[in-house]
Amino acid sequence: MEKKAYFELDDTSEYYEGYHIESRKWNGWATPSFEKPIADIIANKASTTDYRIEYSEKNDCYYAIEKENGKETVGYGHIINTKEGQKKVYCLGAGYWTWTAYTIDKVKEDVNAKIIENESSIDIEY
């Protein structure tokens, strides 16, 4: 069963709601999966002029497209079991990017925390 956590990439103080199995790591980094609205936000935020992440409805996955290296899959859709029931998620960047997993209590310790969940961004008020 996958557990809910909040994932940060590269010490940005932006925490994305997602799911993972704590013991499943890639080179010591978390391997999160995100529901599609969150994955879309991450894909948009990670895209630049030379590097784009696009969703393919036909293949139900996200592709990273680089000018020099072409296209590769960086997140495929799959069903997981959680405490809240089954959810369709995408493992965007898992095994490629350096994600760190946090509990909500740990996130609240970051005074600059911005939690991104359920299609909206919520700043924690103290």
Side-chain angles (χ1 to χ4, degrees), residues 13-82:
S13 288
E14 291 182 339
Y15 300 88
Y16 298 92
E17 178 185 47
Y19 298 88
H20 73 140
I21 296 174
E22 292 177 84
S23 62
R24 189 183 304 152
K25 301 227 183 235
W26 167 76
N27 289 336
W29 299 102
T31 54
S33 294
F34 305 96
E35 291 181 78
K36 188 160 184 326
I38 302 298
D40 286 342
I41 292 168
I42 295 166
N44 185 46
K45 201 163 197 93
S47 293
T48 66
T49 331
D50 296 329
Y51 180 85
R52 286 188 338 271
I53 298 178
E54 293 181 356
Y55 175 72
S56 167
E57 189 172 340
K58 177 183 174 187
N59 297 317
D60 194 28
C61 69
Y62 288 86
Y63 291 109
I65 303 166
E66 293 182 89
K67 282 186 178 179
E68 294 181 16
N69 298 322
K71 177 167 83 169
E72 87 178 278
T73 306
V74 292
Y76 57 90
H78 61 284
I79 303 295
I80 61 169
N81 293 311
T82 72

Side-chain angles (χ1 to χ4, degrees), residues 8-13 97-100:
E8 181 187 37
L9 185 61
D10 300 330
D11 296 322
T12 60
S13 288
W97 301 341
T98 53
W99 290 107
T100 304

